[in-house]
Amino acid sequence: MKYFTGYELLWIFFVYSFLGWVLETATTTLKQRKFANRGLVNGPFCVIYGITVVLMSVGLQELSGIWLFLFAAVYATVAEWISGHLIEKVFHERWWDYSKRKRNLDGYICVSASAFWGLLGYIAVRFGNRFIIFLLKILPHIFMKVLLLALIVLMFIDIFASVMLLSGKSRNPEKWAAADAGIDRVSIGLQRKINNLIERRIRKAYPKAVKTEETKKGDDGVFAGGCCFYKIVLLFIVGAFLGDVTETIFCRVTVGIWMSRSSVVWGPFSIVWGLALALVTLFLYKYKDRSESFLFLTGTLLGGAYEYLCSVFTEIVFGKVFWDYSGIPFNLGGRINLLYCFFWGIAAVIWFKKFFPKIEMVIEKIPVKFGKAVTWCLLVFMVCNIFVSCMALVRYDERSRNNTTMQSEQTESSDVADLDKNLKSWQRWMDKHYDDAKMKEIYPNAKQK
């Protein structure tokens, strides 16, 4: 597996954001027979392309052939689906609509577009990235770093200004003047002009954009109504706990031993399961009443892609492999296998048809003030738990690598003492509270990669 540097990933992001802008602008210009700056920001970038290709570059680099095409299609489709909903949520508009195409999902995504994204993703991961890395090696390093820094600053300013203006934060500059009597009228007029300029550009780039009405639900004293922040957080906690219990029982039944399946050092919580439950609820909440076959297929595809990405992420960040399905038929690099992908699909059906309605009912019966206080306490606890667990895993990996190096080089005891003296305070604390024996007890399946 290739470990991309942050410098390389940033350039991959900018290059494909620009190429995505070129593709979108060229396509729209040909259709409208006039130039259209296609993109959220004013600069020549479509950031969704850059973000998606970075994700593919890190997560799918081990794949090839049909598998790379399929996973690239899934990842790009999920990115497009999320982008469509975020744009509608923030700007109250739909910038594209696949409703007239066959096999579409509410007009946000469709099979033909997904196949096209899969092909582009395949080309980017297999060929495009190599060419970009080659150019970075032959071009002046200092010049490229300065250029990269300038691009980062300009894009940050561009995105911030565009989002603020388009989301309506600056459409009433008189309110700004009332809040701060020192604002000059010239700046107010300039804000109006910039806002109108951006809106005209969006109208030209997305002539078929449709305004959407934001549905506001009454509070009615119900805690965590609908698919809100508090409900998603609580479902994350519940999912993490139930996932750990499920895997522990599964190991007992299949292997015959009780084994820790926790992802964190404090308590029986599986972060992979918790995130999966929270994300699938967030993404598929509006589709929860669809057929079981739809939920099964969606859960199978999303679950497989999610588990594969988690496997790659944990290996890159922590240097450990926490599960390996190499011994199970129809596996993909040991990271996922067909049987467990089907389990994700079955879990999606059972969750939305059986468990979610009951758990949702219980959550919404919690008193509002008490529910908010408990949710924030649990969230703070879990954030601290994840942080400490990450630090413990990083230190665990450092010790494993140091032990391997010392064994291969036959390091003398004096050198070992010097290493101990150079340890930082957090490393000493981790060595004291989470030594190798403790970590092996918590993560019995973790292997050095």
Side-chain angles (χ1 to χ4, degrees):
M1 178 185 295
K2 174 179 173 53
Y3 292 88
F4 290 96
T5 64
Y7 172 75
E8 292 171 340
L9 289 177
L10 283 171
W11 270 115
I12 289 174
F13 166 76
F14 278 107
V15 168
Y16 286 108
S17 293
F18 173 72
L19 293 177
W21 175 84
V22 171
L23 175 65
E24 291 279 343
T25 300
T27 304
T28 307
T29 300
L30 289 174
K31 289 182 178 179
Q32 300 180 21
R33 297 183 182 276
K34 59 181 179 179
F35 178 78
N37 180 11
R38 185 88 163 180
L40 170 62
V41 297
N42 292 291
F45 299 106
C46 278
V47 294
I48 185 60
Y49 281 82
I51 294 172
T52 305
V53 175
V54 167
L55 186 64
M56 291 179 184
S57 301
V58 175
L60 306 182
Q61 56 181 295
E62 294 181 337
L63 301 181
S64 60
I66 187 63
W67 291 114
L68 176 57
F69 168 77
L70 290 176
F71 272 75
V74 171
Y75 282 18
T77 301
V78 172
E80 186 176 32
W81 188 88
I82 294 174
S83 300
H85 280 80
L86 285 178
I87 290 171
E88 184 173 345
K89 179 71 174 179
V90 176
F91 306 130
H92 312 302
E93 292 182 349
R94 295 190 66 167
W95 288 3
W96 64 84
D97 190 352
Y98 297 135
S99 298
K100 295 182 179 180
R101 296 193 186 184
K102 295 181 179 180
R103 298 180 180 85
N104 72 86
L105 183 59
D106 290 347
Y108 293 106
I109 57 176
C110 67
V111 173
S112 59
S114 298
F116 180 67
W117 304 138
L119 177 61
L120 292 183
Y122 180 93
I123 295 172
V125 175
R126 293 294 293 173
F127 307 108
N129 290 345
R130 297 178 185 178
F131 184 67
I132 293 174
I133 301 302
F134 170 74
L135 289 179
L136 292 178
K137 289 180 179 179
I138 63 175
L139 293 173
H141 191 64
I142 296 178
F143 171 76
M144 297 302 291
K145 276 195 169 183
V146 173
L147 180 59
L148 179 62
L149 181 61
L151 288 173
I152 292 172
V153 173
L154 290 174
M155 177 165 281
F156 174 79
I157 295 173
D158 197 356
I159 291 177
F160 180 77
S162 298
V163 171
M164 289 294 291
L165 290 167
L166 280 174
S167 60
K169 302 298 183 182
S170 65
R171 290 179 181 172
N172 296 307
E174 293 81 2
K175 293 184 178 179
W176 291 10
D180 186 357
I183 295 181
D184 190 11
R185 292 182 179 179
V186 175
S187 65
I188 295 177
L190 181 61
Q191 290 162 9
R192 284 201 186 101
K193 290 181 180 179
I194 294 174
N195 182 65
N196 292 335
L197 178 64
I198 294 177
E199 286 195 337
R200 285 199 301 270
R201 182 183 67 77
I202 294 299
R203 295 283 76 75
K204 292 180 180 178
Y206 301 93
K208 296 182 180 180
V210 178
K211 284 285 185 182
T212 58
E213 296 293 332
E214 184 179 15
T215 56
K216 295 183 178 180
K217 296 182 179 180
D219 189 3
D220 297 331
V222 176
F223 170 67
C227 189
C228 67
F229 167 79
Y230 291 101
K231 181 172 290 180
I232 295 300
V233 171
L234 290 178
L235 290 178
F236 165 71
I237 304 294
V238 171
F241 175 74
L242 293 179
D244 182 85
V245 172
T246 301
E247 289 207 8
T248 301
I249 295 175
F250 181 79
C251 286
R252 176 62 180 177
V253 173
T254 57
V255 184
I257 58 174
W258 293 107
M259 180 188 302
S260 172
R261 303 299 297 166
S262 178
S263 302
V264 290
V265 295
W266 299 338
F269 300 103
S270 173
I271 301 301
V272 173
W273 277 85
L275 279 176
L277 197 66
L279 291 175
V280 77
T281 304
L282 182 64
F283 292 160
L284 301 182
Y285 182 80
K286 64 184 296 184
Y287 309 110
K288 65 182 185 297
D289 297 324
R290 295 283 291 266
S291 65
E292 294 181 356
S293 58
F294 171 84
L295 293 175
F296 173 77
L297 180 60
T298 306
T300 299
L301 292 174
L302 293 181
Y306 168 74
E307 187 174 18
Y308 191 95
L309 185 62
C310 287
S311 176
V312 174
F313 174 80
T314 53
E315 181 179 334
I316 292 175
V317 175
F318 304 120
K320 301 287 184 182
V321 176
F322 291 92
W323 61 86
D324 187 356
Y325 303 137
S326 299
I328 301 178
F330 305 108
N331 74 85
L332 191 59
R335 301 188 185 280
I336 61 174
N337 68 83
L338 186 60
L339 178 62
Y340 286 8
C341 287
F342 287 157
F343 284 171
W344 284 111
I346 295 172
V349 175
I350 295 176
W351 170 246
F352 282 114
K353 297 301 182 181
K354 299 294 182 182
F355 291 103
F356 177 72
K358 298 177 181 178
I359 294 178
E360 182 181 40
M361 187 182 301
V362 172
I363 291 176
E364 293 182 356
K365 287 183 178 179
I366 300 175
V368 176
K369 292 184 178 179
F370 176 76
K372 290 183 177 180
V374 170
T375 302
W376 279 109
C377 288
L378 289 174
L379 181 59
V380 171
F381 164 75
M382 191 58 72
V383 170
C384 295
N385 196 359
I386 293 173
F387 176 77
V388 173
S389 301
C390 289
M391 299 300 289
L393 284 167
V394 169
R395 182 57 188 152
Y396 185 30
D397 181 56
E398 289 179 350
R399 289 197 301 265
S400 300
R401 295 183 185 278
N402 290 337
N403 291 338
T404 302
T405 302
M406 287 187 292
Q407 289 175 3
S408 60
E409 297 179 358
Q410 297 181 349
T411 307
E412 298 180 359
S413 58
S414 58
D415 295 330
V416 176
D418 291 337
L419 288 174
D420 293 337
K421 289 181 181 179
N422 294 328
L423 291 179
K424 298 178 181 179
S425 57
W426 74 269
Q427 292 173 318
R428 296 180 184 278
W429 193 89
M430 289 297 169
D431 291 346
K432 178 180 178 181
H433 294 86
Y434 299 101
D435 57 12
D436 289 351
K438 181 68 173 179
M439 295 300 287
K440 288 179 181 177
E441 178 183 346
I442 300 174
Y443 306 102
N445 285 340
K447 299 178 183 178
Q448 183 73 32
K449 190 67 175 180

